Amino acid sequence: MDTISQALSHGGVQGVYRHDAASTRCPMTFAVFVPPQARSGPVPVLWYLSGLTCTHANVMDKGEYRRVAAERGVILVAPDTSPRGPGVPDEPDNWQFGCGAGFYVDATQAPYDRNYRMWSYVVDELPALVAANFPADMARQGVFGHSMGGHGALTVALRNPGRFRSCSAFAPIVQPSTAGWSRPAFEKYLGADPAGWRRYDATALIEDGHRFPEFLVDQGSADGFLQDGLRPWLLEEACRKAGIPLALTMREGYDHSYYFISTFMEAHIAWAAERLAA
């Protein structure tokens, strides 16, 4: 693991790191904020999964999380959203697919199956690296994310309920297998049979019996992707039928941007920290 940068912030350390990832077969960059409490011993870990077109840098630069993460004593890890670099297949003119749009799946279709293994990266490889190199209490983990990353957070939590104590999302893609802006990517990554997509779809996972104790979701009412891509009411219906508590709040006038995310970031980290407390 190489250190790209480190800076003191709110008494903690904001770092950016790079390593050669075995799962994606390319170098991967990620950000980690370590709060001041970590000087006294391991602290909880909160994973933030970013949305389409993003890298680790979007939330690091615009998410406004460091003060509350420092106050609450949680490490915040922000992975990249896809493999990158020479030899990684991409569609440069398609923001909904390829680099910046890994959708947190393990691709099964050539040529994407060689590099696009973001599920294995964020669920297995990067957590092992974080556990080995940072003062992280891996028995206390939470996950949250935005848009495509909200989709990732929901599916990761539903498939790993014993690992994560909290899961929340900003404007998640709750049913990517049918959404207009994610269905084409699923077909390219996972093949033409929608049955193979269900393990990466939050509503399908709930229908298939997966459970999580509770979810927190914030959604802007002025989000331009609300009707076509996000459709939080589908998650609301799935949770209602399954008896999963869901705190879904429609935020009047807010859009899909980091202005929206940064406004409610403190509430999400505080909510997670309560569930990550010893």
Side-chain angles (χ1 to χ4, degrees), residues 54-67:
C54 292
T55 70
H56 68 283
N58 294 76
V59 69
M60 190 176 74
D61 294 344
K62 297 182 285 188
E64 300 182 18
Y65 60 82
R66 278 173 288 270
R67 178 186 58 79

Side-chain angles (χ1 to χ4, degrees), residues 5 24 33 38-41 51 54 57 66 71 83 99 132 148 155-156 172 227-228 242 278:
S5 66
T24 61
F33 176 74
R39 299 190 191 102
S40 300
C54 292
R66 278 173 288 270
E71 291 174 355
C99 290
M148 178 184 72
T155 57
V156 165
Q227 299 294 328
D228 213 23

